[in-house]
Amino acid sequence: LGDVYKRQGIDEPSVFAPTPVSSTLRVLLAEAHLRNWTVVFGDVSAAFLHADIGERILVKPPEEWQGPGGETHHIHAWLLQKAMYGLKGSPRDWMQHVDWILTSELGFRQSKYDATLFIHKSGVRLTKHVDDFVFVGPDDAVKSVIERLQTYVLLKVAEPLRVGGPTQIFTGRLITRTVDGFVIKHQP
C-alpha cells in the first residue's frame, strides 16, 4: 500500500498472539477420544481484515492507483479501517475481535489458565492460534457453533477428524485419529 505514517510520539502497539499450551490440545483430544466426540479443524480466511484497528493509521496510496472510471486522483493518504497483514498491531486487533465474538456473541467462556481455550455450555471446547481453530465436542453442538461463527468470519473447516482419515496440522503438529486415540507428531 505504500508508506505508513504515524503520529510522532506514539509508540508501536503491543503485539500479542498467544500460542495454545501443548497440554491443552492433548487434554482436548483425550476427552474427544473418551467421549467419542467430533474434532474439526478450521481456518479463518483473511483473518486480520475482519478486525477493526485500534489506532489511526494513514497510508500513502500507490502512485499508479486510479479511482472508479480510471481517473487519477491526487489523494495524499488513505485512512485504514481494518487490520491487515504486515502491521504490528494486527494480531492483537484480530485476537480482541475474535475473543469478543466467542464470548459476547456465541456465549463461550474463556479459560483463566490458557487464553486460547474457550468452553461453551453445549459441551464444545475450542482452542485457537491466530486464525487456526480446533473444535471438540458433541457432533451437533460442534456443527452449530461452527455455523454461528461463520456468520461473523470467513471460516473454512475440514471434514471431522476420523479414524483412517487424513492427518490435520495445528501449530506445527501433525494430528491423526486412530482407534486407540490420537497420534500427535511434530511437523518435520
Side-chain angles (χ1 to χ4, degrees):
L1 282 176
D3 299 322
V4 175
Y5 294 98
K6 290 205 162 267
R7 290 182 288 167
Q8 193 171 9
I10 296 179
D11 294 329
E12 288 288 330
S14 62
V15 179
F16 181 69
T19 301
V21 178
S22 61
S23 59
T24 297
L25 181 62
R26 290 194 310 267
V27 168
L28 289 177
L29 295 176
E31 186 175 21
H33 177 69
L34 291 172
R35 295 179 186 239
N36 197 30
W37 275 354
T38 296
V39 176
V40 175
F41 292 78
D43 176 69
V44 177
S45 297
F48 291 173
L49 295 178
H50 292 282
D52 293 328
I53 56 176
E55 62 184 308
R56 183 178 165 95
I57 298 179
L58 299 171
V59 295
K60 181 180 177 183
E63 289 181 20
E64 60 275 357
W65 181 77
Q66 295 179 348
E71 66 271 6
T72 302
H73 293 274
H74 299 288
I75 295 176
H76 298 289
W78 289 338
L79 175 63
L80 289 183
Q81 295 179 341
K82 295 291 184 179
M84 58 184 280
Y85 293 90
L87 295 178
K88 290 185 179 184
S90 292
R92 178 207 57 223
D93 295 335
W94 161 247
M95 287 299 180
Q96 289 173 346
H97 179 70
V98 75
D99 290 356
W100 174 82
I101 291 170
L102 293 172
T103 58
S104 299
E105 297 297 311
L106 301 183
F108 276 87
R109 184 174 42 85
Q110 189 173 20
S111 170
K112 295 177 184 176
Y113 305 102
D114 181 348
T116 68
L117 175 63
F118 292 79
I119 302 164
H120 195 267
K121 62 185 174 188
S122 66
V124 175
R125 288 98 163 94
L126 74 83
T127 188
K128 63 183 178 64
H129 181 253
V130 188
D131 59 354
D132 295 322
F133 291 74
V134 179
F135 301 88
V136 175
D139 190 55
D140 289 342
V142 167
K143 287 178 185 173
S144 176
V145 163
I146 289 171
E147 287 173 4
R148 289 188 61 211
L149 184 56
Q150 287 174 325
T151 65
Y152 294 92
V153 297
L154 185 57
L155 175 69
K156 297 181 294 183
V157 293
E159 289 296 316
L161 203 53
R162 303 197 190 292
V163 173
T167 297
Q168 293 293 331
I169 300 172
F170 183 70
T171 64
R173 296 174 181 93
L174 303 168
I175 303 168
T176 307
R177 193 167 201 162
T178 70
V179 292
D180 297 321
F182 292 86
V183 176
I184 303 172
K185 295 180 182 178
H186 285 282
Q187 194 174 13

